[in-house]
Amino acid sequence: MNIKSQNTDVKIENYIHDCRLKMDESFRKIQKKRVYSQDELESIMTVNRSAISKIENGKFSFSIDYLSRFS
């Protein structure tokens, strides 16, 4: 792998990371605004509580489908 390719890969990884952080921040804002508990989110989004916690902490890559269930 050449340096240019490595730089591109790093830029893509950073972009994905930044997008994930923005989505996580939006998720938390909506959760607080609507005052949902983790149990309620678990039911709405049909994911387990562990996944909800990971989403809140930026450690879970959730899909647009999950986001649309929540919004």
Side-chain angles (χ1 to χ4, degrees):
M1 186 179 281
N2 64 36
I3 293 175
K4 188 174 183 177
S5 179
Q6 288 175 338
N7 286 339
T8 300
D9 289 346
V10 169
K11 286 179 183 179
I12 291 170
E13 287 177 28
N14 287 339
Y15 177 77
I16 290 170
H17 177 74
D18 290 345
C19 288
R20 183 178 292 158
L21 290 176
K22 288 177 185 177
M23 289 175 64
D24 296 336
E25 183 179 330
S26 295
F27 179 86
R28 284 190 300 276
K29 284 180 182 179
I30 293 169
Q31 180 186 12
K32 286 181 182 180
K33 183 178 179 181
R34 295 191 178 179
V35 194
Y36 286 129
S37 68
Q38 284 189 342
D39 288 331
E40 291 168 318
L41 289 173
E42 182 178 11
S43 176
I44 292 167
M45 297 177 71
T46 61
V47 296
N48 63 37
R49 186 181 287 195
S50 174
I52 298 295
S53 178
K54 288 177 183 176
I55 290 169
E56 292 173 335
N57 293 301
K59 299 181 191 242
F60 182 82
S61 179
F62 59 97
S63 71
I64 298 300
D65 293 333
Y66 285 126
L67 190 59
S68 68
R69 290 180 201 169
F70 178 66
S71 58

